[in-house]
Amino acid sequence: MSDYLLEMRGITKSFSGVKALDGIDLRVRPGECVGLCGENGAGKSTMMKVLSAVHPYGSWGGTILWNGQELRCTTIKESEEAGIVIIHQELMLIPQLSVAENIFLGREPRTFGGMIDFDAMYVEAARLLSGLRMGHINPVQPVSNYAGGEQQLIEIAKALSKNAKLLILDEPTSSLTKSETAILLRLVKDLKSRGTACVYISHKLEEIEEIADSVTVIRDGRFVGDAPMADLTTSDIIRMMVGREMNNLFPREEHPIGEIVFEAIGITCLDPENRLRKRVDDVSFSLRKGEILGIAGLVGAGRTELVSALFGAYRGTHSGEVKIDGKLVKIRNPREAVRHGLCMVPEDRKAHGIVPGLGVGYNITLSVLDDFTKAGLIDEAQEFATIGDAIKRLRIKTASPLLPISNLSGGNQQKAVISKMLEPKPRVLILDEPTRGVDVGAKYEIYKLMFSLVREGMSIIMVSSELPEVLGISDRVLVIGEGELRGDFINDDTLTQERVLTAAITPLKRAA
Ligand SMILES: Nc1ncnc2c1ncn2[C@@H]1O[C@H](COP(=O)(O)OP(=O)(O)OP(=O)(O)O)[C@@H](O)[C@H]1O
Ligand SMILES: [Mg+2]
């Protein structure tokens, strides 16, 4: 009998001749949680797709041993029957179907007549959700009624209903709030204590530290090493991931700050479902040339609503005024925003940032196609020169600029979306959670890029839920809580996480 529940040996995988995995080993003991770490594009998701037969047996090389026996699954269903269940990095729920239908998709309880037994399905789903402390989620509602974080929890409930022996979580917390993350980590610990093993992929190394018993690191498709978590520090993991020492995670640079270029005055956003509720309540602020303005707050505070309203992309009713260079401007949609020199990298790249089937390169130039068009013809040479520069500037890892963007690793898709929004050369760039799903090395590069942009005179608004990032990068910090502007601080040595958090939860005292 083998010591291991799972042994993957010398796994190789190529896409059209390009090696994504080049001989990777991964071992998991029964009931153990293995953290799988590596930079964007290292091959983590691909490795897990090999294991769960998203890439079927025969399309990759090497061996998988499961309880000491060779495993040769050709369908996801087969791997699930063996007890391997994966929660993918990109959500796979069907928005129009109910929560219960999503959970039991393809395994619906049936009546004697063979029809779907909806009553039984709702009851079972409700029981499952409340057992996972998710009793507030209604199994009858369509999934689309729930926000990103809740959808992620529904996905997790779905996976858990399948009685996994090995659960694979591929960046499960990238759209979760702190408290949802805590729920998830507790669930994984519960499962572990009941003997379920797991492979946990995350760029948030503090989660790896909390949950993993051992860590396997891969780089550029190759195995770097594995060790018990107890023998490692996070800086060891970072060094193994990026191949060098990284002491300073925030490369803050001095840069001149000029006159006010942008003003938001009395921005108010009504909840699209309930117009009596204000998601953003009379927020005003200004932004100077060359300034990096961080917007902090708890998830759900109204930060994304605020910046989408500024960009003309808020889906409900909103009011307020925007001034650029002291002049009032009307921004009714993103196109007008871009024309006025305002660009935004949205929080949800899948819904708003990319055209999945289109090549990486064409995604990048999509917003500036007119620049390459003369007399109705596209100057391809010029377009490709621009694409080449963009790919180099952010070191986007792609086999070719023509590869559909959906084939890029998650973090590299994010870098491509940022590139796309730089092409119109905006004066004001809004970044909503720019480093979500991005590895430590690439985060550093994004920060460097932000500093070089502000030195060229651009101004940046950055929404981020990572307080160390907000404090590490911003010149000024706005704090939003329950739709209100609760703080506007210069980011000097006196500004601490505690002060920001205190401001976030302290309601304003308004004149009656
Ligand atoms: N279907 C595909 N076609 C072509 N190339 C692919 C495909 N799927 C993955 N790749 C390539 O394989 C490499 C590894 O990607 P993978 O998604 O496994 O990275 P990852 O480690 O999960 O990164 P991230 O942290 O950004 O999610 C990348 O270079 C990616 O572009
Ligand atoms: Mg991935």
Side-chain angles (χ1 to χ4, degrees), residues 76-326:
I76 301 174
K77 198 156 193 279
E78 271 176 63
S79 72
E80 284 186 351
E81 278 160 8
I84 298 168
V85 177
I86 182 165
I87 300 172
H88 286 280
Q89 185 167 8
E90 309 288 341
L91 292 177
M92 301 271 179
L93 298 173
I94 302 171
Q96 302 80 10
L97 293 185
S98 69
V99 171
E101 286 169 295
N102 267 287
I103 292 179
F104 292 105
L105 196 68
R107 310 173 290 138
E108 297 87 354
R110 301 274 166 178
T111 62
F112 285 120
M115 308 289 283
I116 294 182
D117 185 346
F118 279 97
D119 289 342
M121 190 165 77
Y122 293 144
V123 169
E124 188 53 28
R127 202 182 55 81
L128 184 72
L129 288 165
S130 72
L132 298 172
R133 306 177 220 227
M134 297 179 210
H136 60 289
I137 294 176
N138 181 348
V140 182
Q141 292 283 318
V143 158
S144 56
N145 283 11
Y146 290 98
E150 285 164 328
Q151 292 195 13
Q152 181 69 294
L153 291 176
I154 295 168
E155 186 101 69
I156 289 159
K158 175 178 177 172
L160 294 182
S161 73
K162 293 178 182 167
N163 293 322
K165 293 196 185 70
L166 175 74
L167 185 66
I168 302 164
L169 300 112
D170 193 350
E171 287 187 42
T173 60
S174 56
S175 51
L176 297 191
T177 62
K178 289 265 181 295
S179 56
E180 287 166 338
T181 300
I183 296 180
L184 174 87
L185 292 177
R186 200 168 52 209
L187 276 174
V188 175
K189 284 181 195 159
D190 274 1
L191 287 172
K192 233 168 52 170
S193 67
R194 282 186 259 148
T196 310
C198 79
V199 176
Y200 194 94
I201 300 176
S202 178
H203 290 293
K204 299 182 187 162
L205 296 181
E206 68 276 9
E207 289 171 12
I208 299 279
E209 203 171 5
E210 178 172 348
I211 201 92
D213 302 302
S214 74
V215 174
T216 295
V217 179
I218 64 180
R219 191 193 315 145
D220 281 335
R222 298 207 180 83
F223 178 79
V224 176
D226 54 11
M229 186 64 229
D231 297 351
L232 295 171
T233 62
T234 47
S235 22
D236 294 332
I237 301 177
I238 293 175
R239 188 165 12 80
M240 288 164 83
M241 280 172 63
V242 302
R244 63 189 153 87
E245 208 69 55
M246 274 190 76
N247 297 319
N248 177 13
L249 297 179
F250 302 108
R252 202 159 169 183
E253 289 171 22
E254 288 299 318
H255 54 272
I257 293 177
E259 69 285 10
I260 290 177
V261 286
F262 177 91
E263 284 164 272
I265 305 151
I267 305 292
T268 296
C269 298
L270 303 183
D271 188 312
E273 264 83 52
N274 172 9
R275 295 170 58 95
L276 296 175
R277 184 169 165 224
K278 289 178 183 165
R279 302 297 293 264
V280 176
D281 190 359
D282 195 17
V283 169
S284 303
F285 68 91
S286 59
L287 175 71
R288 291 175 179 274
K289 183 176 168 139
E291 187 173 45
I292 299 180
L293 178 67
I295 303 190
L298 305 176
V299 175
R303 298 168 304 165
T304 292
E305 289 80 354
L306 170 65
V307 290
S308 10
L310 299 176
F311 188 59
Y314 183 63
R315 60 188 187 95
T317 309
H318 71 276
S319 56
E321 289 176 339
V322 166
K323 280 187 187 172
I324 294 180
D325 290 330

